[in-house]
């Protein structure tokens, strides 16, 4: 299962990270991303009732991998998994989240910011490791350096990654990237669904062209 997940995320190239305090905006944006062909989407626990949204998106877009992000304790992990999350993501390694995911046989993508943390996540069972915050750590250059010493560890840089940097991260050895920029928050906040549609479709085309 872990190998299949890594392959699916690598094929998806860019994973939209949906983070918003307004559930309705998060829901609209998530549906929009799924409808425009993004194969995997991460919904963070900063969204009100994110477990309910995970369940809804799984039902509405059964071919989309839906992950839970910013999962910081076992209770949140359990709610995400019960809602049908395909994978669980944290901004660091959390022992109790790892234990819950292990017991439920759901992939846990923990994050590291140093070579030691990245290796720890991998040895603890993460099928791939989130590199966070990627931009502040040095961007593609950091990923390239880590891959040089850990060529067998798939990496998912996230945090400050720009749409125009996806190809650079992939060239540096990233399996895939997490991209908050793909969620058209500003257009949706203005109530401009047409602009949000255009932004998402343009982003999808740019990613496919660059990969």
């Amino acid at each position: 299962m872990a190998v299949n997940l890594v392959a699916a995320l690598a094929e998806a190239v860019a994973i939209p990270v949906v983070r918003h305090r307004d559930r309705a905006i998060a829901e609209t944006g998530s549906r929009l991303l799924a409808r425009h062909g993004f194969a995997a989407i991460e919904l963070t626990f900063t969204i009100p009732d994110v477990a309910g949204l995970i369940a809804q998106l799984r039902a509405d877009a059964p071919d989309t991998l839906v992950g839970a992000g910013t999962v910081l304790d076992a209770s949140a992990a359990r709610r995400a998994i019960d809602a049908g999350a395909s994978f669980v993501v944290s901004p660091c390694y959390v022992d109790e989240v790892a234990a819950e995911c292990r017991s439920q046989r759901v992939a846990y993508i923990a994050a590291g910011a140093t070579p030691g943390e990245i290796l720890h996540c991998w040895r603890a069972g993460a099928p791939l490791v989130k590199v966070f915050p990627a931009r502040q750590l040095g961007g593609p250059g950091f990923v390239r350096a880590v891959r040089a010493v850990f060529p067998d560890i798939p990496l998912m840089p996230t945090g400050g990654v720009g749409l125009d940097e996806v190809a650079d991260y992939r060239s540096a050895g990233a399996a895939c990237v997490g991209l908050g920029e793909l969620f058209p928050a500003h257009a949706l906040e203005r109530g401009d669904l047409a602009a949000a549609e255009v932004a998402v479709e343009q982003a999808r085309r740019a990613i496919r062209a660059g990969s």
Side-chain angles (χ1 to χ4, degrees), residues 85-129:
S86 300
F87 57 95
V88 171
V89 185
S90 296
C92 59
Y93 186 86
V94 184
D95 289 327
E96 63 183 275
V97 175
E100 184 65 28
C101 290
R102 194 178 303 115
S103 69
Q104 300 282 354
R105 298 181 181 276
V106 170
Y108 178 43
I109 303 174
T114 68
E117 291 174 358
I118 290 167
L119 182 60
H120 172 74
C121 293
W122 175 249
R123 286 182 169 172
L128 77 162
V129 179

